Amino acid sequence: EAQVTQNPRYLITVTGKKLTVTCSQNMNHEYMSWYRQDPGLGLRQIYYSMNVEVTDKGDVPEGYKVSRKEKRNFPLILESPSPNQTSLYFCASSQSPAEQYFGPGTRLTVT
Amino acid sequence: AQSVTQPDIHITVSEGASLELRCNYSYGATPYLFWYVQSPGQGLQLLLKYFSGDTLVQGIKGFEAEFKRSQSSFNLRKPSVHWSDAAEYFCAVGAGNQFYFGTGTSLTVIP
């Protein structure tokens, strides 16, 4: 089954404790992306990747890092999380920057 | 700068009534255009997309959307709403390698 998976689905952490949210797709897609969803703001793109070792900033990259060492994986790293990064995070993938398939989401709370 | 505007934060319609959700975008060229639906606690599902060609596009679940270049709009329509259509709807624009989402329209369906 074609899918995008994210782990963990729920995470509560404390300020400053480094965390990684994993994203994996099994569709051999080249394009992958991370978004955060906040009430009243819709989805905002954090980072995207056109292919292995090719990443670029989206609209709200501050406080986040990504890597793309393998085509299927695109982890999101928060080196020093802060409460304003409490949000719902979505990973997405597509063959090109077009129709995207979204993961189920990761709800992150930073206290 | 690119932007997507969904002017209606919340819409309530009766079951069986017609529906139109508005979307306007700001982009220098013709972008890729999308409508996604998000049910409570779920990820995003693609309803339909426009890349080029016929400006009236058909999607899943009986939805359609019309691209109007002169108005920079991509409004979503459905002739007869079902209770299961209650959800949040997002319009999105693909501009170059990035994506921009509207803030969403929440749809309530009353019997």
Side-chain angles (χ1 to χ4, degrees), chain A residues 45-65:
Chain A
Q45 194 171 34
I46 304 172
Y47 268 95
Y48 63 92
S49 169
M50 297 292 292
N51 213 325
V52 175
E53 303 290 2
V54 181
T55 62
D56 209 344
K57 297 176 181 179
D59 258 4
V60 289
E62 294 77 21
Y64 304 95
K65 284 176 57 177

Side-chain angles (χ1 to χ4, degrees), chain A residues 71-88:
Chain A
K71 200 171 188 178
R72 63 169 34 230
N73 296 322
F74 190 45
L76 179 69
I77 303 154
L78 285 72
E79 298 242 335
S80 183
S82 62
N84 65 12
Q85 293 178 297
T86 292
S87 187
L88 179 58

